[in-house]
Amino acid sequence: MSTPNIEKTLTTKETFIFKDIIGPYFNPNWHFHPDYQISLIAEGKGTRFVGDHVQSFEKGDLVITGPNLPHLWRSDDAYFDKNSKLSTRGLVIYFDHDLFSESLLGKEEFYNINKFVENSVRGMEFYGETRNKINKLIHKINNELGFRRIIKLLEIIDILANSEEYHILSSPGYTNVFKGDDADKMRIVYDYVMTNFKTKISLEEIAEMLNMTTTSFCRYFKPRANKTFTRFVNEIRIGHSRKLLLEDNLNISQISYECGFNALSNFNRQFKAIVQMSPHEYRKLFLNIKTSIS
């Protein structure tokens, strides 16, 4: 096993960097780093992991992750097919945690910035008009030079810090406890679940892949994911079901089996526990939204 996947993003001479990342799929490795990261998905879809949060993503996804918050944007399986013609594009800004000093954040004028910085350690997803504004600005930032680039970054941060159009992602109790070879082990878990969630998931098989007993694997996984392995698998399955419900091509019973549930009643129960509404209510809600927009 290799060392932890802790990415180096900035040099000591850089305040921030901008990356326009184009490829057949997004970086499939679970990782974290000491810098703030603003990520806008310009092309692609899949499943996003931020701390202990799991959710589907698609084009337009806008998220900030704080220092050392583990994250992974995993493209759908179709992107990994050797014959795939799909592509992904992510516009990413990394900025240094020293951009705002502790004394500066304590000033009255920086109240919203300070709140934004504090919330970012759990990850934040932005939507609505905020996302539209950032989408326009982030495409322009690489055209600026010198201090004007810093001004453009501060403009982006100011919009995010003063927005109310966001969801906090990771749970309040989440902390990053990863060390040693955890990055490799969790990557194996994520890859296995994402490949097999539509069929039966074998706890014995994944434990064997990590050279653990099932009991030791369950003890290992829970504090690192802040949830049981069963809950984690169910969240992946429910996340996929939400995509299918919005496509409106399959009925709810078909979606249940497509997502790995062997009983419709269990699917309905797990969906409501995770989404706080039934699959039928979820589909109806978003179909109504789609109709009102069109």
Side-chain angles (χ1 to χ4, degrees), residues 3-9 27 29-37 51 65-72 94 174 176-184 186:
T3 55
N5 200 348
I6 305 174
E7 287 195 340
K8 287 187 175 181
T9 50
N27 178 4
N29 296 314
W30 172 96
H31 60 279
F32 57 92
H33 45 72
D35 305 305
Y36 295 87
Q37 176 178 326
T65 52
N68 298 316
L69 178 63
H71 53 270
L72 162 65
Y94 302 93
Y174 178 79
N176 180 5
V177 298
F178 293 96
K179 56 185 177 182
D181 60 0
D182 286 338
D184 282 323
M186 294 303 286

PDB file of all heavy atoms in Angstrom, residues 3-9 27 29-37 51 65-72 94 174 176-184 186:
ATOM      1  N   THR A   3       1.500   5.583   0.453  1.00  0.00           N
ATOM      2  CA  THR A   3       1.224   6.563   1.502  1.00  0.00           C
ATOM      3  C   THR A   3      -0.123   7.220   1.246  1.00  0.00           C
ATOM      4  O   THR A   3      -0.683   7.091   0.162  1.00  0.00           O
ATOM      5  CB  THR A   3       2.323   7.643   1.517  1.00  0.00           C
ATOM      6  OG1 THR A   3       2.405   8.206   0.212  1.00  0.00           O
ATOM      7  CG2 THR A   3       3.653   7.035   1.900  1.00  0.00           C
ATOM      8  N   PRO A   4      -0.664   7.954   2.212  1.00  0.00           N
ATOM      9  CA  PRO A   4      -1.980   8.572   2.033  1.00  0.00           C
ATOM     10  C   PRO A   4      -2.015   9.481   0.819  1.00  0.00           C
ATOM     11  O   PRO A   4      -1.021  10.118   0.492  1.00  0.00           O
ATOM     12  CB  PRO A   4      -2.181   9.369   3.331  1.00  0.00           C
ATOM     13  CG  PRO A   4      -1.218   8.811   4.290  1.00  0.00           C
ATOM     14  CD  PRO A   4      -0.084   8.246   3.500  1.00  0.00           C
ATOM     15  N   ASN A   5      -3.164   9.544   0.184  1.00  0.00           N
ATOM     16  CA  ASN A   5      -3.312  10.378  -1.002  1.00  0.00           C
ATOM     17  C   ASN A   5      -3.597  11.812  -0.583  1.00  0.00           C
ATOM     18  O   ASN A   5      -4.705  12.304  -0.691  1.00  0.00           O
ATOM     19  CB  ASN A   5      -4.437   9.837  -1.879  1.00  0.00           C
ATOM     20  CG  ASN A   5      -4.313  10.348  -3.305  1.00  0.00           C
ATOM     21  OD1 ASN A   5      -3.547  11.240  -3.584  1.00  0.00           O
ATOM     22  ND2 ASN A   5      -5.082   9.752  -4.194  1.00  0.00           N
ATOM     23  N   ILE A   6      -2.558  12.479  -0.068  1.00  0.00           N
ATOM     24  CA  ILE A   6      -2.667  13.874   0.355  1.00  0.00           C
ATOM     25  C   ILE A   6      -2.066  14.719  -0.763  1.00  0.00           C
ATOM     26  O   ILE A   6      -0.862  14.706  -0.984  1.00  0.00           O
ATOM     27  CB  ILE A   6      -1.934  14.127   1.680  1.00  0.00           C
ATOM     28  CG1 ILE A   6      -2.438  13.169   2.754  1.00  0.00           C
ATOM     29  CG2 ILE A   6      -2.099  15.572   2.123  1.00  0.00           C
ATOM     30  CD1 ILE A   6      -1.658  13.257   4.058  1.00  0.00           C
ATOM     31  N   GLU A   7      -2.886  15.413  -1.494  1.00  0.00           N
ATOM     32  CA  GLU A   7      -2.424  16.147  -2.655  1.00  0.00           C
ATOM     33  C   GLU A   7      -1.688  17.428  -2.274  1.00  0.00           C
ATOM     34  O   GLU A   7      -2.072  18.125  -1.345  1.00  0.00           O
ATOM     35  CB  GLU A   7      -3.608  16.511  -3.557  1.00  0.00           C
ATOM     36  CG  GLU A   7      -4.181  15.331  -4.314  1.00  0.00           C
ATOM     37  CD  GLU A   7      -5.078  15.782  -5.443  1.00  0.00           C
ATOM     38  OE1 GLU A   7      -5.545  16.943  -5.403  1.00  0.00           O
ATOM     39  OE2 GLU A   7      -5.307  14.982  -6.358  1.00  0.00           O
ATOM     40  N   LYS A   8      -0.644  17.735  -3.021  1.00  0.00           N
ATOM     41  CA  LYS A   8       0.005  19.031  -2.913  1.00  0.00           C
ATOM     42  C   LYS A   8      -0.555  19.907  -4.022  1.00  0.00           C
ATOM     43  O   LYS A   8      -0.458  19.577  -5.197  1.00  0.00           O
ATOM     44  CB  LYS A   8       1.521  18.887  -3.055  1.00  0.00           C
ATOM     45  CG  LYS A   8       2.191  18.255  -1.847  1.00  0.00           C
ATOM     46  CD  LYS A   8       3.701  18.301  -1.981  1.00  0.00           C
ATOM     47  CE  LYS A   8       4.376  17.776  -0.724  1.00  0.00           C
ATOM     48  NZ  LYS A   8       5.864  17.828  -0.824  1.00  0.00           N
ATOM     49  N   THR A   9      -1.130  21.020  -3.649  1.00  0.00           N
ATOM     50  CA  THR A   9      -1.792  21.859  -4.643  1.00  0.00           C
ATOM     51  C   THR A   9      -1.089  23.192  -4.877  1.00  0.00           C
ATOM     52  O   THR A   9      -0.977  23.654  -5.992  1.00  0.00           O
ATOM     53  CB  THR A   9      -3.241  22.135  -4.221  1.00  0.00           C
ATOM     54  OG1 THR A   9      -3.256  22.598  -2.864  1.00  0.00           O
ATOM     55  CG2 THR A   9      -4.081  20.867  -4.309  1.00  0.00           C
ATOM     56  N   ASN A  27     -10.654  12.385 -11.462  1.00  0.00           N
ATOM     57  CA  ASN A  27      -9.699  11.669 -10.616  1.00  0.00           C
ATOM     58  C   ASN A  27     -10.438  10.668  -9.724  1.00  0.00           C
ATOM     59  O   ASN A  27     -11.228  11.059  -8.877  1.00  0.00           O
ATOM     60  CB  ASN A  27      -8.942  12.686  -9.749  1.00  0.00           C
ATOM     61  CG  ASN A  27      -7.957  12.028  -8.791  1.00  0.00           C
ATOM     62  OD1 ASN A  27      -7.768  10.809  -8.797  1.00  0.00           O
ATOM     63  ND2 ASN A  27      -7.314  12.836  -7.966  1.00  0.00           N
ATOM     64  N   ASN A  29      -9.405   8.824  -7.365  1.00  0.00           N
ATOM     65  CA  ASN A  29      -8.777   8.571  -6.071  1.00  0.00           C
ATOM     66  C   ASN A  29      -9.329   9.480  -4.974  1.00  0.00           C
ATOM     67  O   ASN A  29      -9.382  10.699  -5.135  1.00  0.00           O
ATOM     68  CB  ASN A  29      -7.250   8.762  -6.165  1.00  0.00           C
ATOM     69  CG  ASN A  29      -6.612   7.755  -7.087  1.00  0.00           C
ATOM     70  OD1 ASN A  29      -6.908   6.568  -7.012  1.00  0.00           O
ATOM     71  ND2 ASN A  29      -5.757   8.225  -7.977  1.00  0.00           N
ATOM     72  N   TRP A  30      -9.706   8.873  -3.878  1.00  0.00           N
ATOM     73  CA  TRP A  30     -10.111   9.607  -2.680  1.00  0.00           C
ATOM     74  C   TRP A  30      -8.892  10.376  -2.173  1.00  0.00           C
ATOM     75  O   TRP A  30      -7.796   9.837  -2.121  1.00  0.00           O
ATOM     76  CB  TRP A  30     -10.609   8.586  -1.657  1.00  0.00           C
ATOM     77  CG  TRP A  30     -10.884   9.107  -0.304  1.00  0.00           C
ATOM     78  CD1 TRP A  30     -12.076   9.503   0.206  1.00  0.00           C
ATOM     79  CD2 TRP A  30      -9.940   9.261   0.755  1.00  0.00           C
ATOM     80  NE1 TRP A  30     -11.928   9.906   1.495  1.00  0.00           N
ATOM     81  CE2 TRP A  30     -10.629   9.769   1.862  1.00  0.00           C
ATOM     82  CE3 TRP A  30      -8.558   9.033   0.871  1.00  0.00           C
ATOM     83  CZ2 TRP A  30     -10.009  10.045   3.062  1.00  0.00           C
ATOM     84  CZ3 TRP A  30      -7.926   9.312   2.064  1.00  0.00           C
ATOM     85  CH2 TRP A  30      -8.668   9.807   3.146  1.00  0.00           C
ATOM     86  N   HIS A  31      -9.047  11.656  -1.828  1.00  0.00           N
ATOM     87  CA  HIS A  31      -7.883  12.443  -1.436  1.00  0.00           C
ATOM     88  C   HIS A  31      -8.293  13.652  -0.605  1.00  0.00           C
ATOM     89  O   HIS A  31      -9.470  13.990  -0.496  1.00  0.00           O
ATOM     90  CB  HIS A  31      -7.106  12.912  -2.671  1.00  0.00           C
ATOM     91  CG  HIS A  31      -7.917  13.774  -3.600  1.00  0.00           C
ATOM     92  ND1 HIS A  31      -8.802  13.259  -4.522  1.00  0.00           N
ATOM     93  CD2 HIS A  31      -7.990  15.124  -3.737  1.00  0.00           C
ATOM     94  CE1 HIS A  31      -9.376  14.236  -5.188  1.00  0.00           C
ATOM     95  NE2 HIS A  31      -8.910  15.395  -4.723  1.00  0.00           N
ATOM     96  N   PHE A  32      -7.312  14.305  -0.022  1.00  0.00           N
ATOM     97  CA  PHE A  32      -7.527  15.575   0.662  1.00  0.00           C
ATOM     98  C   PHE A  32      -6.230  16.364   0.622  1.00  0.00           C
ATOM     99  O   PHE A  32      -5.165  15.845   0.279  1.00  0.00           O
ATOM    100  CB  PHE A  32      -8.018  15.373   2.107  1.00  0.00           C
ATOM    101  CG  PHE A  32      -7.107  14.544   2.975  1.00  0.00           C
ATOM    102  CD1 PHE A  32      -6.129  15.136   3.762  1.00  0.00           C
ATOM    103  CD2 PHE A  32      -7.245  13.163   3.042  1.00  0.00           C
ATOM    104  CE1 PHE A  32      -5.301  14.384   4.577  1.00  0.00           C
ATOM    105  CE2 PHE A  32      -6.428  12.400   3.860  1.00  0.00           C
ATOM    106  CZ  PHE A  32      -5.448  13.009   4.631  1.00  0.00           C
ATOM    107  N   HIS A  33      -6.300  17.651   0.946  1.00  0.00           N
ATOM    108  CA  HIS A  33      -5.128  18.526   0.886  1.00  0.00           C
ATOM    109  C   HIS A  33      -5.353  19.715   1.824  1.00  0.00           C
ATOM    110  O   HIS A  33      -6.482  19.950   2.275  1.00  0.00           O
ATOM    111  CB  HIS A  33      -4.886  19.008  -0.545  1.00  0.00           C
ATOM    112  CG  HIS A  33      -6.106  19.460  -1.263  1.00  0.00           C
ATOM    113  ND1 HIS A  33      -6.757  20.645  -0.966  1.00  0.00           N
ATOM    114  CD2 HIS A  33      -6.850  18.873  -2.247  1.00  0.00           C
ATOM    115  CE1 HIS A  33      -7.814  20.784  -1.744  1.00  0.00           C
ATOM    116  NE2 HIS A  33      -7.905  19.720  -2.528  1.00  0.00           N
ATOM    117  N   PRO A  34      -4.317  20.497   2.121  1.00  0.00           N
ATOM    118  CA  PRO A  34      -4.436  21.564   3.121  1.00  0.00           C
ATOM    119  C   PRO A  34      -5.068  22.853   2.621  1.00  0.00           C
ATOM    120  O   PRO A  34      -5.180  23.815   3.383  1.00  0.00           O
ATOM    121  CB  PRO A  34      -2.973  21.813   3.521  1.00  0.00           C
ATOM    122  CG  PRO A  34      -2.185  21.446   2.317  1.00  0.00           C
ATOM    123  CD  PRO A  34      -2.915  20.279   1.703  1.00  0.00           C
ATOM    124  N   ASP A  35      -5.500  22.891   1.366  1.00  0.00           N
ATOM    125  CA  ASP A  35      -6.013  24.133   0.797  1.00  0.00           C
ATOM    126  C   ASP A  35      -7.531  24.097   0.617  1.00  0.00           C
ATOM    127  O   ASP A  35      -8.150  23.032   0.605  1.00  0.00           O
ATOM    128  CB  ASP A  35      -5.358  24.387  -0.567  1.00  0.00           C
ATOM    129  CG  ASP A  35      -3.850  24.379  -0.472  1.00  0.00           C
ATOM    130  OD1 ASP A  35      -3.314  25.143   0.348  1.00  0.00           O
ATOM    131  OD2 ASP A  35      -3.217  23.581  -1.198  1.00  0.00           O
ATOM    132  N   TYR A  36      -8.131  25.268   0.467  1.00  0.00           N
ATOM    133  CA  TYR A  36      -9.544  25.377   0.113  1.00  0.00           C
ATOM    134  C   TYR A  36      -9.679  25.069  -1.379  1.00  0.00           C
ATOM    135  O   TYR A  36      -8.806  25.420  -2.178  1.00  0.00           O
ATOM    136  CB  TYR A  36     -10.073  26.777   0.393  1.00  0.00           C
ATOM    137  CG  TYR A  36     -10.073  27.145   1.861  1.00  0.00           C
ATOM    138  CD1 TYR A  36      -8.942  27.705   2.464  1.00  0.00           C
ATOM    139  CD2 TYR A  36     -11.205  26.926   2.646  1.00  0.00           C
ATOM    140  CE1 TYR A  36      -8.940  28.037   3.814  1.00  0.00           C
ATOM    141  CE2 TYR A  36     -11.212  27.258   3.992  1.00  0.00           C
ATOM    142  CZ  TYR A  36     -10.073  27.800   4.566  1.00  0.00           C
ATOM    143  OH  TYR A  36     -10.069  28.116   5.901  1.00  0.00           O
ATOM    144  N   GLN A  37     -10.772  24.434  -1.748  1.00  0.00           N
ATOM    145  CA  GLN A  37     -10.983  24.074  -3.147  1.00  0.00           C
ATOM    146  C   GLN A  37     -12.397  24.427  -3.578  1.00  0.00           C
ATOM    147  O   GLN A  37     -13.370  23.992  -2.975  1.00  0.00           O
ATOM    148  CB  GLN A  37     -10.742  22.575  -3.357  1.00  0.00           C
ATOM    149  CG  GLN A  37     -11.022  22.085  -4.769  1.00  0.00           C
ATOM    150  CD  GLN A  37     -10.720  20.607  -4.951  1.00  0.00           C
ATOM    151  OE1 GLN A  37      -9.788  20.078  -4.349  1.00  0.00           O
ATOM    152  NE2 GLN A  37     -11.512  19.927  -5.769  1.00  0.00           N
ATOM    153  N   GLY A  51     -16.347  14.214   2.766  1.00  0.00           N
ATOM    154  CA  GLY A  51     -16.420  13.773   4.158  1.00  0.00           C
ATOM    155  C   GLY A  51     -17.289  12.541   4.267  1.00  0.00           C
ATOM    156  O   GLY A  51     -17.032  11.522   3.624  1.00  0.00           O
ATOM    157  N   THR A  65     -14.702  22.797  -0.712  1.00  0.00           N
ATOM    158  CA  THR A  65     -14.230  21.928   0.363  1.00  0.00           C
ATOM    159  C   THR A  65     -13.124  22.649   1.118  1.00  0.00           C
ATOM    160  O   THR A  65     -12.254  23.277   0.512  1.00  0.00           O
ATOM    161  CB  THR A  65     -13.700  20.590  -0.180  1.00  0.00           C
ATOM    162  OG1 THR A  65     -12.730  20.838  -1.215  1.00  0.00           O
ATOM    163  CG2 THR A  65     -14.838  19.758  -0.750  1.00  0.00           C
ATOM    164  N   GLY A  66     -13.168  22.560   2.440  1.00  0.00           N
ATOM    165  CA  GLY A  66     -12.168  23.198   3.280  1.00  0.00           C
ATOM    166  C   GLY A  66     -10.915  22.361   3.425  1.00  0.00           C
ATOM    167  O   GLY A  66     -10.820  21.248   2.903  1.00  0.00           O
ATOM    168  N   PRO A  67      -9.925  22.867   4.162  1.00  0.00           N
ATOM    169  CA  PRO A  67      -8.648  22.161   4.328  1.00  0.00           C
ATOM    170  C   PRO A  67      -8.821  20.765   4.920  1.00  0.00           C
ATOM    171  O   PRO A  67      -9.565  20.568   5.871  1.00  0.00           O
ATOM    172  CB  PRO A  67      -7.874  23.071   5.290  1.00  0.00           C
ATOM    173  CG  PRO A  67      -8.470  24.431   5.086  1.00  0.00           C
ATOM    174  CD  PRO A  67      -9.917  24.185   4.823  1.00  0.00           C
ATOM    175  N   ASN A  68      -8.141  19.797   4.295  1.00  0.00           N
ATOM    176  CA  ASN A  68      -8.052  18.413   4.783  1.00  0.00           C
ATOM    177  C   ASN A  68      -9.402  17.705   4.882  1.00  0.00           C
ATOM    178  O   ASN A  68      -9.553  16.761   5.656  1.00  0.00           O
ATOM    179  CB  ASN A  68      -7.333  18.371   6.129  1.00  0.00           C
ATOM    180  CG  ASN A  68      -5.910  18.882   6.022  1.00  0.00           C
ATOM    181  OD1 ASN A  68      -5.190  18.533   5.090  1.00  0.00           O
ATOM    182  ND2 ASN A  68      -5.507  19.742   6.949  1.00  0.00           N
ATOM    183  N   LEU A  69     -10.382  18.160   4.097  1.00  0.00           N
ATOM    184  CA  LEU A  69     -11.674  17.484   4.030  1.00  0.00           C
ATOM    185  C   LEU A  69     -11.613  16.476   2.881  1.00  0.00           C
ATOM    186  O   LEU A  69     -11.483  16.862   1.720  1.00  0.00           O
ATOM    187  CB  LEU A  69     -12.794  18.497   3.789  1.00  0.00           C
ATOM    188  CG  LEU A  69     -14.209  17.922   3.654  1.00  0.00           C
ATOM    189  CD1 LEU A  69     -14.640  17.230   4.951  1.00  0.00           C
ATOM    190  CD2 LEU A  69     -15.204  19.024   3.289  1.00  0.00           C
ATOM    191  N   PRO A  70     -11.691  15.179   3.159  1.00  0.00           N
ATOM    192  CA  PRO A  70     -11.601  14.174   2.089  1.00  0.00           C
ATOM    193  C   PRO A  70     -12.723  14.342   1.075  1.00  0.00           C
ATOM    194  O   PRO A  70     -13.874  14.615   1.444  1.00  0.00           O
ATOM    195  CB  PRO A  70     -11.743  12.846   2.854  1.00  0.00           C
ATOM    196  CG  PRO A  70     -11.354  13.163   4.254  1.00  0.00           C
ATOM    197  CD  PRO A  70     -11.820  14.560   4.481  1.00  0.00           C
ATOM    198  N   HIS A  71     -12.389  14.174  -0.197  1.00  0.00           N
ATOM    199  CA  HIS A  71     -13.404  14.323  -1.235  1.00  0.00           C
ATOM    200  C   HIS A  71     -13.041  13.509  -2.469  1.00  0.00           C
ATOM    201  O   HIS A  71     -11.880  13.154  -2.694  1.00  0.00           O
ATOM    202  CB  HIS A  71     -13.602  15.799  -1.609  1.00  0.00           C
ATOM    203  CG  HIS A  71     -12.323  16.502  -1.971  1.00  0.00           C
ATOM    204  ND1 HIS A  71     -11.536  17.147  -1.040  1.00  0.00           N
ATOM    205  CD2 HIS A  71     -11.693  16.668  -3.155  1.00  0.00           C
ATOM    206  CE1 HIS A  71     -10.483  17.678  -1.629  1.00  0.00           C
ATOM    207  NE2 HIS A  71     -10.548  17.405  -2.926  1.00  0.00           N
ATOM    208  N   LEU A  72     -14.066  13.247  -3.270  1.00  0.00           N
ATOM    209  CA  LEU A  72     -13.907  12.464  -4.484  1.00  0.00           C
ATOM    210  C   LEU A  72     -15.113  12.689  -5.378  1.00  0.00           C
ATOM    211  O   LEU A  72     -16.257  12.558  -4.925  1.00  0.00           O
ATOM    212  CB  LEU A  72     -13.792  10.968  -4.130  1.00  0.00           C
ATOM    213  CG  LEU A  72     -14.043   9.931  -5.240  1.00  0.00           C
ATOM    214  CD1 LEU A  72     -12.989  10.045  -6.328  1.00  0.00           C
ATOM    215  CD2 LEU A  72     -14.043   8.524  -4.657  1.00  0.00           C
ATOM    216  N   TYR A  94      -7.845  26.390  -6.211  1.00  0.00           N
ATOM    217  CA  TYR A  94      -7.267  26.078  -4.905  1.00  0.00           C
ATOM    218  C   TYR A  94      -6.723  27.376  -4.325  1.00  0.00           C
ATOM    219  O   TYR A  94      -5.951  28.072  -4.995  1.00  0.00           O
ATOM    220  CB  TYR A  94      -6.115  25.088  -5.038  1.00  0.00           C
ATOM    221  CG  TYR A  94      -6.467  23.776  -5.698  1.00  0.00           C
ATOM    222  CD1 TYR A  94      -6.292  23.609  -7.078  1.00  0.00           C
ATOM    223  CD2 TYR A  94      -6.945  22.695  -4.964  1.00  0.00           C
ATOM    224  CE1 TYR A  94      -6.592  22.412  -7.698  1.00  0.00           C
ATOM    225  CE2 TYR A  94      -7.239  21.483  -5.572  1.00  0.00           C
ATOM    226  CZ  TYR A  94      -7.070  21.346  -6.938  1.00  0.00           C
ATOM    227  OH  TYR A  94      -7.365  20.160  -7.555  1.00  0.00           O
ATOM    228  N   TYR A 174     -18.660  15.111  11.838  1.00  0.00           N
ATOM    229  CA  TYR A 174     -17.624  14.507  11.008  1.00  0.00           C
ATOM    230  C   TYR A 174     -16.257  15.142  11.252  1.00  0.00           C
ATOM    231  O   TYR A 174     -16.107  16.361  11.278  1.00  0.00           O
ATOM    232  CB  TYR A 174     -17.950  14.633   9.516  1.00  0.00           C
ATOM    233  CG  TYR A 174     -16.857  14.041   8.663  1.00  0.00           C
ATOM    234  CD1 TYR A 174     -16.763  12.674   8.479  1.00  0.00           C
ATOM    235  CD2 TYR A 174     -15.878  14.854   8.096  1.00  0.00           C
ATOM    236  CE1 TYR A 174     -15.740  12.119   7.736  1.00  0.00           C
ATOM    237  CE2 TYR A 174     -14.852  14.311   7.348  1.00  0.00           C
ATOM    238  CZ  TYR A 174     -14.786  12.938   7.172  1.00  0.00           C
ATOM    239  OH  TYR A 174     -13.773  12.390   6.453  1.00  0.00           O
ATOM    240  N   ASN A 176     -11.968  14.301  10.026  1.00  0.00           N
ATOM    241  CA  ASN A 176     -11.079  13.484   9.203  1.00  0.00           C
ATOM    242  C   ASN A 176     -10.128  12.714  10.109  1.00  0.00           C
ATOM    243  O   ASN A 176      -9.242  13.288  10.730  1.00  0.00           O
ATOM    244  CB  ASN A 176     -10.289  14.395   8.246  1.00  0.00           C
ATOM    245  CG  ASN A 176      -9.341  13.606   7.357  1.00  0.00           C
ATOM    246  OD1 ASN A 176      -9.325  12.382   7.376  1.00  0.00           O
ATOM    247  ND2 ASN A 176      -8.545  14.315   6.589  1.00  0.00           N
ATOM    248  N   VAL A 177     -10.299  11.397  10.172  1.00  0.00           N
ATOM    249  CA  VAL A 177      -9.439  10.561  11.030  1.00  0.00           C
ATOM    250  C   VAL A 177      -8.510   9.695  10.190  1.00  0.00           C
ATOM    251  O   VAL A 177      -7.877   8.783  10.707  1.00  0.00           O
ATOM    252  CB  VAL A 177     -10.291   9.658  11.958  1.00  0.00           C
ATOM    253  CG1 VAL A 177     -11.145  10.495  12.885  1.00  0.00           C
ATOM    254  CG2 VAL A 177     -11.165   8.693  11.153  1.00  0.00           C
ATOM    255  N   PHE A 178      -8.386   9.992   8.902  1.00  0.00           N
ATOM    256  CA  PHE A 178      -7.595   9.151   8.023  1.00  0.00           C
ATOM    257  C   PHE A 178      -6.096   9.350   8.238  1.00  0.00           C
ATOM    258  O   PHE A 178      -5.624  10.451   8.494  1.00  0.00           O
ATOM    259  CB  PHE A 178      -7.936   9.446   6.568  1.00  0.00           C
ATOM    260  CG  PHE A 178      -9.322   9.042   6.196  1.00  0.00           C
ATOM    261  CD1 PHE A 178     -10.355   9.966   6.213  1.00  0.00           C
ATOM    262  CD2 PHE A 178      -9.607   7.740   5.854  1.00  0.00           C
ATOM    263  CE1 PHE A 178     -11.636   9.595   5.872  1.00  0.00           C
ATOM    264  CE2 PHE A 178     -10.894   7.362   5.515  1.00  0.00           C
ATOM    265  CZ  PHE A 178     -11.911   8.286   5.522  1.00  0.00           C
ATOM    266  N   LYS A 179      -5.378   8.245   8.084  1.00  0.00           N
ATOM    267  CA  LYS A 179      -3.921   8.273   8.197  1.00  0.00           C
ATOM    268  C   LYS A 179      -3.366   7.014   7.552  1.00  0.00           C
ATOM    269  O   LYS A 179      -4.119   6.126   7.118  1.00  0.00           O
ATOM    270  CB  LYS A 179      -3.499   8.359   9.657  1.00  0.00           C
ATOM    271  CG  LYS A 179      -4.045   7.242  10.537  1.00  0.00           C
ATOM    272  CD  LYS A 179      -3.690   7.466  12.003  1.00  0.00           C
ATOM    273  CE  LYS A 179      -4.304   6.371  12.877  1.00  0.00           C
ATOM    274  NZ  LYS A 179      -4.007   6.584  14.309  1.00  0.00           N
ATOM    275  N   GLY A 180      -2.030   6.938   7.496  1.00  0.00           N
ATOM    276  CA  GLY A 180      -1.395   5.736   6.974  1.00  0.00           C
ATOM    277  C   GLY A 180      -1.893   5.369   5.592  1.00  0.00           C
ATOM    278  O   GLY A 180      -1.909   6.190   4.680  1.00  0.00           O
ATOM    279  N   ASP A 181      -2.318   4.121   5.416  1.00  0.00           N
ATOM    280  CA  ASP A 181      -2.759   3.647   4.105  1.00  0.00           C
ATOM    281  C   ASP A 181      -4.277   3.707   3.950  1.00  0.00           C
ATOM    282  O   ASP A 181      -4.852   3.034   3.103  1.00  0.00           O
ATOM    283  CB  ASP A 181      -2.259   2.219   3.848  1.00  0.00           C
ATOM    284  CG  ASP A 181      -2.770   1.227   4.884  1.00  0.00           C
ATOM    285  OD1 ASP A 181      -3.506   1.655   5.802  1.00  0.00           O
ATOM    286  OD2 ASP A 181      -2.443   0.035   4.773  1.00  0.00           O
ATOM    287  N   ASP A 182      -4.941   4.551   4.741  1.00  0.00           N
ATOM    288  CA  ASP A 182      -6.398   4.656   4.668  1.00  0.00           C
ATOM    289  C   ASP A 182      -6.884   5.060   3.281  1.00  0.00           C
ATOM    290  O   ASP A 182      -7.931   4.602   2.830  1.00  0.00           O
ATOM    291  CB  ASP A 182      -6.917   5.669   5.693  1.00  0.00           C
ATOM    292  CG  ASP A 182      -6.869   5.132   7.119  1.00  0.00           C
ATOM    293  OD1 ASP A 182      -6.837   3.901   7.282  1.00  0.00           O
ATOM    294  OD2 ASP A 182      -6.860   5.942   8.057  1.00  0.00           O
ATOM    295  N   ALA A 183      -6.142   5.942   2.608  1.00  0.00           N
ATOM    296  CA  ALA A 183      -6.577   6.417   1.298  1.00  0.00           C
ATOM    297  C   ALA A 183      -6.721   5.258   0.325  1.00  0.00           C
ATOM    298  O   ALA A 183      -7.701   5.164  -0.414  1.00  0.00           O
ATOM    299  CB  ALA A 183      -5.590   7.454   0.762  1.00  0.00           C
ATOM    300  N   ASP A 184      -5.741   4.373   0.320  1.00  0.00           N
ATOM    301  CA  ASP A 184      -5.809   3.222  -0.580  1.00  0.00           C
ATOM    302  C   ASP A 184      -6.943   2.280  -0.208  1.00  0.00           C
ATOM    303  O   ASP A 184      -7.655   1.771  -1.074  1.00  0.00           O
ATOM    304  CB  ASP A 184      -4.484   2.450  -0.538  1.00  0.00           C
ATOM    305  CG  ASP A 184      -3.400   3.128  -1.349  1.00  0.00           C
ATOM    306  OD1 ASP A 184      -3.721   3.688  -2.403  1.00  0.00           O
ATOM    307  OD2 ASP A 184      -2.248   3.103  -0.911  1.00  0.00           O
ATOM    308  N   MET A 186      -9.754   2.976   1.420  1.00  0.00           N
ATOM    309  CA  MET A 186     -11.059   3.559   1.130  1.00  0.00           C
ATOM    310  C   MET A 186     -11.318   3.618  -0.379  1.00  0.00           C
ATOM    311  O   MET A 186     -12.450   3.485  -0.831  1.00  0.00           O
ATOM    312  CB  MET A 186     -11.167   4.943   1.756  1.00  0.00           C
ATOM    313  CG  MET A 186     -11.156   4.920   3.285  1.00  0.00           C
ATOM    314  SD  MET A 186     -12.468   3.909   4.018  1.00  0.00           S
ATOM    315  CE  MET A 186     -13.895   4.945   3.753  1.00  0.00           C
TER     316      MET A 186
END
